[in-house]
Amino acid sequence: MKKDDAQYKSYLKVLREELVPAMGCTEPISIAYAAAKAMELLGKLPEQCRIEVSGNIIKNVKSVVVPNTNGLKGIEASVAAGIIAGDASKKLEVLSNITKEMKPKIREYLLSHPIAVVPADNDMIFYIDIILQNSDQWSEVIIEGYHTNITQMKLNGKVLFQAERTENPDNNFSNQGLLNIKDIVEFANIADIEDFREPIGRQIAYNSTISEEGLKHNWGANVGKTILKTYGTNIAMRAKAAAAAGSDARMGGCEKPVIIVSGSGNQGITAVLPVIEYAKELNVSEDKLYRAVALSDLVTIYQKTGIGRLSAFCGAVCAGCGSGAGIAYLHGGGYKEIAHTIVNALAIVSGIVCDGAKPSCAAKIAASVDAGILGYEMYKNGQQFRSGDGIVTKGVDNTISNVGRMAREGMKSTDKEILKIMTGH
C-alpha cells in the first residue's frame, strides 16, 4: 500500500466518515434528529405525532436515558426532545444546545400531546418514519440504514426530498469491503499521522473526558468504578474500567459528547480507551498511540461491516477485539500477533447478545476488552484457538467472515425473540 493508492485514501475516508461526534445513545438521538427535522419542515408545534420504527430501534431506545431531558427514557421522550428543543443542523448532537428552561417543556409536551409508536411493517434493520401533524398541515421524515441517512422528506404529502433507493443504505459509506487485517496493519504502519490527526485526536479527547466523568461520579451501574474497587488497578483492570466507565456515563444520560465508531458511541469508547491506558503504561510516543487507535478503529469497523449497524450481536465484542489488536500493536506486534489476538478474542466472546442500550452495556464492554487482552496474552504465551474450534477457521479474515455470517444471518431469529422478551410478548 502506498499513500497515493486508492486503498489508502479509502481507509482515510472510512475513518473520517465513521469518527463523528454524538451526544447520547445514537438510536434515541437519531429519533430526535428525525423529529427536529420534521419540526423544521412543519414550522409550528404539532398537535400529535406518529412514529414508525424497526424492532432494533425499539430495542435500543427502550431503556436508555435521553440526554438533556432530566432523566426521560424511551421513544416518546426522544420525539418530544427533538420537537421542543432539537437543532437538526447539529445531526447527532441534535440535543446538545438544550437550555435549563427547555427541559421541563419537553416533559410537558410529552404529557399533553399524543405520540403514537408503531412497529414498522418491513424487514429493515434500521428504520424511522416520523409524522408530525396539525389540523391543517403535516410533515414526514424517513431515516433508513444508519443514523443520519434521511431518505425522504414530505410536507402535506408533497415530496421535498427523495434519496435514491439502494438495496442496503449502509453501502452509502465508503467501500469498506476493501478492509482486511493485513492491509489495516500496513496502513497503521505507513500512514501519515497528519492525515488522521484531527478525527483520532478528537476521539481520544472526547472519549477520555466521558470516561473520566464515569469514574468520578455515579452513573448507571458504576461498572468501571466497581472493577477498580474489586480487582485493583493493574493495567488490565484500568483498561477495562476506563472503557466501562465511559459507557456508564453515556448510558446514564451524561451530556458530554463522544466520538462514535460504526454508528455506536459504546464502540467508539471501547475501541479507544483501553489503547490509551496501555499507551500510558508503556510510555509510547503520541505517534504510536495514534497509529494504534486508528488500527483499533479500523479492525472494529471491519468486523461490523459483515454484521450491519444493528443486530442481535453485541457490537462491543467487535470493539473489544479492536482494542486488543491496538494493544498488541503498542507492544510491537505485527500482522501475525494482531491476527492471533483477534481470532483468540472472537473465540471467547462472540456469543454475547445485544438486548438494547442500557447500563449493562458497560459490563459487556468490560468482558469484551478482557477478551481482547486475554487474546493477546494467549499469543504471547504460545497459546491459540485453532481452525475447527467452533466457528474459528484458518485465517483471521475467514474467522471474521464466519462471525459476521453468524451475527447477520444466524441471529435474525434471536433478534426477534429478544425484542419479544423486552416488550413482554
Side-chain angles (χ1 to χ4, degrees):
M1 184 187 296
K2 297 180 180 179
K3 293 177 184 177
D4 57 353
D5 286 350
Q7 188 175 17
Y8 179 87
K9 293 175 181 177
S10 178
Y11 279 30
L12 285 177
K13 193 175 181 186
V14 167
L15 288 173
R16 290 169 184 154
E17 287 176 342
E18 293 279 3
L19 301 180
V20 297
M23 192 187 74
C25 180
T26 46
E27 281 71 53
I29 292 301
S30 184
I31 288 174
Y33 172 57
K37 199 69 180 177
M39 178 65 183
E40 191 178 89
L41 297 178
L42 190 64
K44 56 184 176 181
L45 199 67
E47 296 167 358
Q48 59 185 345
C49 317
R50 180 185 187 276
I51 181 166
E52 187 176 326
V53 289
S54 55
N56 272 273
I57 299 296
I58 295 172
K59 183 176 74 173
N60 279 342
V61 181
K62 177 179 179 290
S63 303
V64 70
V65 175
V66 183
N68 268 331
T69 63
N70 287 335
L72 298 177
K73 295 181 180 180
I75 292 172
E76 295 91 338
S78 303
V79 171
I83 289 170
I84 296 300
D87 180 354
S89 68
K90 297 183 76 67
K91 295 190 174 180
L92 293 182
E93 293 182 283
V94 60
L95 302 182
S96 61
N97 289 339
I98 295 178
T99 64
K100 183 179 179 181
E101 292 73 27
M102 289 178 181
K103 293 180 183 182
K105 294 179 180 179
I106 296 170
R107 183 180 291 275
E108 288 170 14
Y109 183 87
L110 186 61
L111 295 174
S112 59
H113 292 75
I115 301 175
V117 179
V118 180
D121 186 21
N122 59 44
D123 294 328
M124 296 197 70
I125 301 298
F126 196 113
Y127 183 81
I128 298 168
D129 180 353
I130 187 166
I131 297 174
L132 307 185
Q133 190 164 6
N134 284 315
S135 56
D136 58 340
Q137 290 190 61
W138 61 276
S139 63
E140 181 177 16
V141 171
I142 297 176
I143 292 178
E144 298 176 357
Y146 58 92
H147 301 79
T148 56
N149 188 41
I150 294 176
T151 58
Q152 189 177 90
M153 293 190 291
K154 291 181 181 178
L155 182 62
N156 301 325
K158 181 181 178 181
V159 177
L160 304 179
F161 172 78
Q162 177 75 58
E164 184 178 346
R165 295 302 297 255
T166 58
E167 185 176 342
N168 180 5
D170 242 2
N171 288 338
N172 288 358
F173 282 90
S174 295
N175 184 6
Q176 297 182 3
L178 291 172
L179 294 170
N180 64 81
I181 297 302
K182 184 177 180 181
D183 287 340
I184 288 172
V185 175
E186 185 177 357
F187 174 84
N189 284 331
I190 71 162
D192 184 342
I193 296 296
E194 296 306 318
D195 286 342
F196 54 65
R197 178 177 294 281
E198 182 180 357
I200 296 293
R202 188 170 55 176
Q203 182 186 16
I204 291 169
Y206 279 32
N207 296 2
S208 293
T209 297
I210 200 167
S211 173
E212 291 165 6
E213 172 68 22
L215 287 173
K216 286 179 182 177
H217 301 105
N218 290 322
W219 291 102
N222 290 307
V223 174
K225 291 165 75 172
T226 301
I227 288 170
L228 296 179
K229 181 179 179 180
T230 306
Y231 301 109
T233 58
N234 67 52
I235 178 55
M237 295 305 155
R238 295 201 308 274
K240 291 192 289 183
S247 181
D248 283 327
R250 184 168 172 271
M251 294 294 94
C254 178
E255 294 159 11
K256 296 184 184 298
V258 301
I259 300 301
I260 65 175
V261 170
S262 293
S264 164
N266 277 343
Q267 289 174 57
I269 288 166
T270 309
V272 69
L273 266 302
V275 180
I276 293 170
E277 289 301 315
Y278 270 86
K280 293 175 184 175
E281 177 75 7
L282 299 172
N283 197 29
V284 302
S285 66
E286 182 182 79
D287 180 279
K288 189 76 170 180
L289 168 61
Y290 275 56
R291 294 181 189 279
V293 172
L295 183 140
S296 176
D297 288 335
L298 288 170
V299 169
T300 301
I301 294 163
Y302 174 34
Q303 293 173 79
K304 285 291 287 181
T305 299
I307 295 170
R309 295 270 152 176
L310 300 176
S311 75
F313 185 93
C314 177
V317 169
C318 302
C321 293
S323 66
I327 290 165
Y329 185 83
L330 288 174
H331 281 90
Y335 169 72
K336 185 177 181 181
E337 291 84 356
I338 289 164
H340 281 288
T341 296
I342 294 168
V343 171
N344 288 341
L346 285 174
I348 298 167
V349 287
S350 284
I352 297 179
V353 299
C354 173
D355 53 343
K358 67 226 166 297
S360 67
C361 291
K364 295 182 181 186
I365 284 170
S368 299
V369 172
D370 184 77
I373 295 168
L374 178 58
Y376 174 61
E377 294 296 336
M378 285 179 63
Y379 176 77
K380 278 174 57 180
N381 285 278
Q383 305 300 319
Q384 62 178 294
F385 299 116
R386 301 181 182 277
S387 177
D389 290 347
I391 59 175
V392 173
T393 191
K394 188 174 178 61
V396 60
D397 298 293
N398 293 327
T399 296
I400 289 172
S401 178
N402 283 355
V403 172
R405 174 184 167 187
M406 177 193 70
R408 185 182 63 253
E409 302 298 334
M411 297 180 79
K412 282 182 178 178
S413 59
T414 303
D415 211 20
K416 293 176 182 177
E417 204 62 36
I418 288 170
L419 183 61
K420 288 178 183 178
I421 292 169
M422 290 179 65
T423 55
H425 291 92

